[in-house]
């Protein structure tokens, strides 16, 4: 069965650089979520999209932005990167309001 | 606001013995409860969910969870642990709708051969 695809899987950036993370949800899933998991931490919700509109917002810094495109893939744009942004970034998709969220393998971002 | 507590950082159990990983929650309205498992350097894998219905929910890999409304708990259980069950387990909750999950701090399960 198709799963959530995230690219790249690993990314190394320097402080103050920008990064773009991509997420391709499971086909026919209408909602996409972004989470950040710091080392030894639980995943923290950043932002979500339903039918290409932002549906919920969590602890996403102002330096970050995201959008969902017409083909339902989503991109998380991160600017002015800081050392503390180093984390595993997960994308998840769900088929509806009551559905479980299926997580991608994550993108490991390292900021040096 | 919704929250989840996993009181144990680590649970150790011998292979073949039953295991329990504890979770309590707080949410306004009816809870939607989930368990996920995370292996090293991997994404979160869905195990099971409670939305409504029977309090005992069966999931993947022989896991089950018991919903207890009066104790606001959703403990994960398995009758006979396997070494391959060793991983990080997260309990999560959300209220109704297309809402984000709030995760507990995670419990590391170590199954000894």
């Amino acid at each position: 069965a198709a799963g959530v695809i995230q690219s790249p899987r690993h990314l190394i950036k320097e402080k103050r650089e920008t990064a773009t993370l991509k997420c391709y949800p499971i086909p026919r899933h209408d909602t996409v979520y972004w989470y950040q998991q710091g080392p030894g931490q639980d995943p923290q919700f950043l932002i979500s999209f339903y039918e290409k509109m932002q549906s919920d917002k969590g602890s996403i810094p102002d330096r970050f932005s995201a959008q969902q495109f017409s083909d339902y893939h989503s991109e998380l744009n991160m600017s002015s990167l800081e050392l503390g942004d180093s984390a595993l970034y997960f994308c998840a998709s769900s088929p509806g309001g009551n559905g479980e969220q299926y997580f991608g393998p994550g993108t490991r971002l390292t900021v040096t | 606001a919704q929250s989840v507590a996993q009181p144990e950082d680590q649970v150790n159990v011998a292979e073949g013995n039953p295991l329990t990983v504890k979770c309590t929650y707080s949410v306004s309205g009816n809870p939607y409860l989930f368990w996920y498992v995370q292996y090293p350097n991997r994404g979160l894998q869905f195990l099971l969910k409670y939305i409504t219905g029977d309090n005992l929910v069966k999931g993947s890999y022989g896991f089950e969870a018991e919903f207890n409304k009066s104790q606001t708990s959703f403990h994960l259980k398995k009758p006979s642990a396997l070494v391959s069950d060793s991983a990080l387990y997260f309990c999560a909750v959300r209220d109704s709708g297309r809402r984000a999950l709030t995760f507990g701090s995670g419990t590391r399960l170590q199954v000894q051969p």
Side-chain angles (χ1 to χ4, degrees), chain B residues 1-66:
Chain B
Q2 53 201 37
S3 65
V4 177
Q6 293 181 244
E8 302 152 317
D9 290 336
Q10 180 155 326
V11 169
N12 298 308
V13 64
E15 188 174 31
N17 283 0
L19 69 87
T20 298
V21 182
K22 295 179 180 177
C23 170
T24 58
Y25 66 90
S26 174
V27 66
S28 56
N30 293 323
Y32 292 67
L33 295 156
F34 305 82
W35 276 102
Y36 286 84
V37 59
Q38 186 176 32
Y39 294 95
N41 300 313
R42 301 281 295 276
L44 293 149
Q45 294 179 35
F46 169 76
L47 281 179
L48 51 79
K49 68 178 179 183
Y50 172 84
I51 304 295
T52 184
D54 290 341
N55 290 342
L56 186 62
V57 179
K58 294 189 183 297
S60 306
Y61 313 118
F63 284 94
E64 56 189 30
E66 187 169 9

Side-chain angles (χ1 to χ4, degrees), chain A residues 3-73:
Chain A
V4 176
I5 297 171
Q6 290 188 248
S7 68
R9 293 293 309 276
H10 301 273
L11 191 58
I12 299 175
K13 291 285 185 178
E14 294 187 355
K15 282 193 304 183
R16 292 179 290 278
E17 286 191 320
T18 61
T20 297
L21 280 52
K22 296 184 179 182
C23 168
Y24 298 85
I26 293 171
R28 292 180 295 282
H29 281 197
D30 57 11
T31 309
V32 167
Y33 308 81
W34 285 97
Y35 293 86
Q36 177 193 58
Q37 185 179 30
Q41 309 271 320
D42 56 289
Q44 295 290 318
F45 170 67
L46 294 177
I47 195 166
S48 63
F49 293 88
Y50 164 61
E51 287 291 344
K52 292 153 278 185
M53 299 289 289
Q54 181 181 310
S55 57
D56 205 357
K57 192 172 181 180
S59 52
I60 184 168
D62 292 341
R63 299 177 289 110
F64 295 5
S65 65
Q67 56 183 322
Q68 187 177 31
F69 294 86
S70 58
D71 65 350
Y72 291 91
H73 94 271

Side-chain angles (χ1 to χ4, degrees), chain B residues 62-80:
Chain B
F63 284 94
E64 56 189 30
E66 187 169 9
F67 171 67
N68 187 315
K69 187 173 182 178
S70 62
Q71 297 184 4
T72 61
S73 66
F74 189 56
H75 301 330
L76 182 70
K77 301 181 179 185
K78 188 174 183 181
S80 179

